[in-house]
Amino acid sequence: MLAVDGVTRILGYANPACYNLLGLLLGDVVGRLLEDVLPGDISNDWAASMDRLAGASGETRVGSDDRWACSAWTIVGEHQERLGTMVQLTDISAATFDDSVAMNEALLISSLHQHELRAASETLNARLASEILSHEETQAELLQSTLMLELRVEERTKELESSNREMQGFVYSIAHDLRAPLRAIIATSKILIEEVGPGLAAEGTILLRRQIFNSSRLSDLIDDLLEFARLAHHEVRRRPVDITAWAKQSARIAQDEYPGRGLKFDFEEGLTADADLTTTRIVLQNLMDNAAKFSPNGGTISVGFRDGAFFVRDEGIGFNMAYHQKLFLPFQRLVLDSEFPGTGIGLANVERIVVRHGGKVWAESNLGHGATFWFTLGSA
């Protein structure tokens, strides 16, 4: 910023920015001609601009008493090339010189700040637009990936369902084909014992009875395997189930299965659950049968509800808790078949049903002091 006489163009003031720009020492400007201080091309532009502004429209040229505050800055292009010069000329004759200089400096600084803020705003807006575009592209890629994943999951689900149907059909077919020869073996063995038994050696009769026993056990095992496979696809349909009533019915079945044992039963009344009726009956039948099988003569079997879980408790032989995880695995048994017949599928079915309900099943025992089986039925 410069203060210059309107007629003589003698400089009366220059601000520090002007000194820095021109590489001059403080005081080197005051009293000198404008043309002597500024570079030629710039001084010519300024002089022409001052003449045009001060004597616009053919008016009389400004007098020697006129004083002007002149601000100017170069306009540059994209590659810093000079495009022109911006000149601000202010008549300061009626004002104090210092006030006018301060006013012009403030105006210039404000203008520069606005320019800088506008440039910064444009830069930030451009960056924000770029980030928004990048975010939209990422979202589009994520959506595409999600759609592709859903499509693949749907395809794999259909393949798995088809494979399960084929496997289920294969299992049922094999089971059907196995049942016929097993029935024939059992029937033939019984005929031999009835008709030829008296003429057979004792060892031959024992072998035939063993053959009937093993064939019957294999037939039961096939039935249990089919039940185990069927439960994997059974849809859980919840409805109010009277746990106490079905436990009592399961107890009657167990008494018929083990007659002469003198078993006693203790049922907590009013037990209900929101569960699938068909499979819940299977849970109770398996647990009651299991308790009756291992209970001593005259033993008591209890059914109740504690701490959010149903339980079936017996006074039987119990088991070693170190092996309790094997209880619910198919074909895993902690006793000999000769002592306690079974296929090892019953408790596996119990766990499968309970899990399908969203619940859990576990057991507690002391060897020789009975066992307690606990189960929940999800949100029931």
Side-chain angles (χ1 to χ4, degrees):
M1 294 180 63
L2 299 169
V4 58
D5 183 82
V7 176
T8 63
R9 295 203 182 100
I10 294 177
L11 301 174
Y13 169 80
N15 68 349
C18 185
Y19 284 103
N20 292 335
L21 177 65
L22 301 176
L24 301 174
L25 298 175
L26 291 177
D28 286 347
V29 171
V30 178
R32 299 177 61 181
L33 290 174
L34 177 67
E35 290 85 350
D36 295 337
V37 174
L38 301 180
D41 56 346
I42 297 178
S43 66
N44 292 335
D45 286 342
W46 278 28
S49 298
M50 290 175 63
D51 288 341
R52 183 167 61 254
L53 294 172
S57 303
E59 296 178 358
T60 304
R61 184 179 177 85
V62 293
S64 59
D65 292 336
D66 293 333
R67 301 187 70 191
W68 299 84
C70 182
S71 302
W73 57 92
T74 302
I75 301 173
V76 297
E78 181 180 359
H79 303 292
Q80 301 302 312
E81 72 275 15
R82 181 169 176 267
L83 301 179
T85 303
M86 179 67 71
V87 177
Q88 177 181 312
L89 191 63
T90 306
D91 184 0
I92 59 174
S93 302
T96 63
F97 176 73
D98 292 338
D99 290 343
S100 298
V101 169
M103 177 190 69
N104 278 278
E105 286 186 345
L107 289 172
L108 177 59
I109 292 172
S110 175
S111 175
L112 291 176
H113 282 179
Q114 290 180 2
H115 173 74
E116 293 170 355
L117 290 174
R118 186 181 301 109
S121 176
E122 291 174 353
T123 301
L124 290 175
N125 286 337
R127 183 181 302 172
L128 179 60
S130 175
E131 292 178 354
I132 291 175
L133 179 60
S134 175
H135 178 69
E136 291 176 348
E137 292 175 349
T138 302
Q139 288 287 81
E141 293 175 358
L142 181 60
L143 178 59
Q144 182 67 19
S145 299
T146 302
L147 292 176
M148 291 296 296
L149 180 59
E150 290 177 352
L151 181 60
R152 291 180 59 187
V153 169
E154 184 179 356
E155 292 175 350
R156 293 299 298 273
T157 301
K158 290 181 179 178
E159 293 175 1
L160 184 59
E161 289 175 349
S162 177
S163 177
N164 285 338
R165 285 193 296 269
E166 292 177 0
M167 180 61 68
Q168 189 174 9
F170 174 76
V171 169
Y172 281 108
S173 176
I174 292 297
H176 180 270
D177 292 342
L178 287 176
R179 278 189 175 127
L182 283 174
R183 285 195 297 267
I185 293 173
I186 294 171
T188 303
S189 300
K190 288 181 177 179
I191 292 173
L192 287 174
I193 291 176
E194 291 175 0
E195 296 184 359
V196 190
L200 291 175
E203 184 178 354
T205 303
I206 292 173
L207 291 175
L208 285 174
R209 293 188 183 282
R210 184 178 300 171
Q211 182 169 275
I212 293 173
F213 172 81
N214 288 325
S215 298
S216 299
R217 184 172 180 276
L218 181 56
S219 180
D220 293 339
L221 182 59
I222 292 173
D223 291 338
D224 288 345
L225 282 174
L226 289 175
E227 181 72 8
F228 185 74
R230 185 183 65 81
L231 291 175
H233 305 283
H234 178 81
E235 181 181 356
V236 175
R237 294 185 176 90
R238 291 186 182 272
R239 54 178 291 188
V241 176
D242 190 334
I243 299 295
T244 301
W246 288 110
K248 290 179 179 179
Q249 180 172 335
S250 299
R252 288 192 290 270
I253 296 174
Q255 283 179 321
D256 294 338
E257 185 71 20
Y258 305 98
R261 300 282 295 276
L263 297 175
K264 301 174 184 177
F265 296 91
D266 178 22
F267 301 100
E268 182 177 340
E269 297 295 335
L271 298 180
T272 61
D274 186 23
D276 182 77
L277 175 60
T278 302
T279 53
T280 302
R281 288 168 55 187
I282 295 175
V283 168
L284 292 171
Q285 288 172 5
N286 277 282
L287 292 180
M288 294 298 288
D289 180 82
N290 190 75
K293 181 189 301 183
F294 295 104
S295 290
N297 292 337
T300 300
I301 298 174
S302 303
V303 178
F305 185 86
R306 295 288 185 279
D307 300 325
F310 299 99
F311 68 84
V312 176
R313 179 178 296 122
D314 63 63
E315 299 175 340
I317 63 172
F319 59 87
N320 189 336
M321 285 294 291
Y323 305 105
H324 76 283
Q325 293 295 342
K326 300 177 65 175
L327 289 172
F328 303 101
L329 297 177
F331 311 117
Q332 298 293 323
R333 307 196 71 213
L334 304 184
V335 294
L336 297 176
D337 291 345
S338 58
E339 297 177 351
F340 300 95
T343 60
I345 297 294
L347 291 180
N349 282 337
V350 169
E351 184 184 47
R352 171 162 285 187
I353 294 169
V354 168
V355 171
R356 291 295 302 276
H357 277 78
K360 60 181 180 178
V361 59
W362 68 99
E364 298 172 349
S365 176
N366 287 317
L367 194 61
H369 294 84
T372 302
F373 285 81
W374 302 81
F375 67 95
T376 63
L377 295 170
S379 59

